[in-house]
Amino acid sequence: MSFLLDTNIIVAIARRFDLTLITHNIAEFSRVAGLRWADWEA
């Protein structure tokens, strides 16, 4: 449950401030509509 809460907080902050999230966890964050993300490992 803690991971889900942490994920939700990260998404909320990124969307609120119109940020691009840098992550290698594409499976988790690509499901969120309106969230911009980039994978610097790719």
Side-chain angles (χ1 to χ4, degrees), residues 28-42:
E28 183 71 26
F29 292 104
S30 65
R31 299 181 289 162
V32 180
L35 179 66
R36 288 192 324 261
W37 53 267
D39 181 358
W40 286 2
E41 291 284 323

Side-chain angles (χ1 to χ4, degrees), residues 4-28:
L4 180 60
L5 181 60
D6 293 344
T7 302
N8 288 339
I9 290 171
I10 291 167
V11 168
I13 291 169
R15 290 188 68 193
R16 167 63 179 94
F17 293 103
D18 197 29
L19 302 172
T20 299
L21 179 67
I22 307 303
T23 183
H24 191 56
N25 190 358
I26 302 306
E28 183 71 26

